[in-house]
Amino acid sequence: QVQLVESGGGVVQPGRSLRVSCAASGFTFSSHGIHWVRQAPGKGLEWVAFISYDGSLKYYADSVKGRITTSRDSAKNTVFLQMSSLRAEDSALYYCAKDDGFDWSRGYLDYWGRGTLVSVSS
Amino acid sequence: EVVLTQSPATLSLSPGERATLSCRASQSVSSYLAWYQQKPGQAPRLLIFDASNRATGIPARFSGSGSGTDFTLTISSLEPEDFAVYYCQQRSNWPPLTFGGGTKVEI
């Protein structure tokens, strides 16, 4: 079955960096894009970033552009979210989610991980 | 950026009743709209895509309708497990993907 497992969250000081990971299994990893969506405590969903099935396309929300990058390692079936210059407003549960398009980027998120919590605080 | 506005913010209903949730887009998104359900402590789950197509394994009591700027998610008869927060999301004009602010369906 499809599984997405995030890891790497934690408490980090403002201005510091953090890398979170999303390990995927149960589907053809090389054929699906992966989205990152975050949710601040008690708040709604905010799309953060996307990487296409082959890594050739990467999109970012304006709120994180220039501070966050995403990459993927096909050998490890893992996607990464590298976050730098972190701010208090970046504190959230970060989900990775599979794009339901096969060999293309459709924009619907059909499977989600359970999330990893990032807390930015001094 | 397409802004999605959901209403009402909270819907108070009883099991067995019909729930009607609204999502309005700031510009036309054609039929490129999805609905997700999120229960406390859980990740969102895709319910509906392309405005009216149920995702795999979603019960028939969930239905979606609409196109352009106005969309509706209907739960024909609420089951106890349906009390949750529901989000709409558009993919018509992305990036960015955008979500509505959510509607909480409470008992």
Side-chain angles (χ1 to χ4, degrees), chain A:
Chain A
Q1 71 280 22
V2 174
Q3 279 200 313
L4 297 163
V5 180
E6 303 90 340
S7 62
V11 179
V12 60
Q13 293 179 327
R16 303 298 291 265
S17 298
L18 190 69
R19 188 179 81 162
V20 298
S21 302
C22 170
S25 61
F27 64 99
T28 306
F29 180 75
S30 60
S31 293
H32 289 275
I34 298 293
H35 298 265
W36 290 93
V37 176
R38 68 184 180 184
Q39 187 170 38
K43 302 297 184 182
L45 302 171
E46 179 189 15
W47 176 83
V48 173
F50 169 78
I51 184 166
S52 62
Y53 67 98
D54 60 357
S56 64
L57 296 174
K58 299 178 185 181
Y59 302 135
Y60 302 98
D62 285 345
S63 59
V64 304
K65 205 170 287 183
R67 301 187 299 116
I68 284 181
T69 59
T70 186
S71 60
R72 62 192 293 155
D73 183 338
S74 295
K76 297 181 179 179
N77 281 13
T78 299
V79 176
F80 303 99
L81 190 70
Q82 178 70 48
M83 300 181 284
S84 61
S85 302
L86 281 163
R87 307 166 180 168
E89 54 264 36
D90 294 319
S91 297
L93 187 62
Y94 283 73
Y95 295 103
C96 63
K98 170 182 162 290
D99 189 283
D100 75 336
F102 189 92
D103 283 349
W104 70 298
S105 310
R106 192 155 88 130
Y108 294 134
L109 287 58
D110 61 351
Y111 289 92
W112 298 60
R114 297 180 67 113
T116 187
L117 187 62
V118 173
S119 180
V120 183
S121 172
S122 55

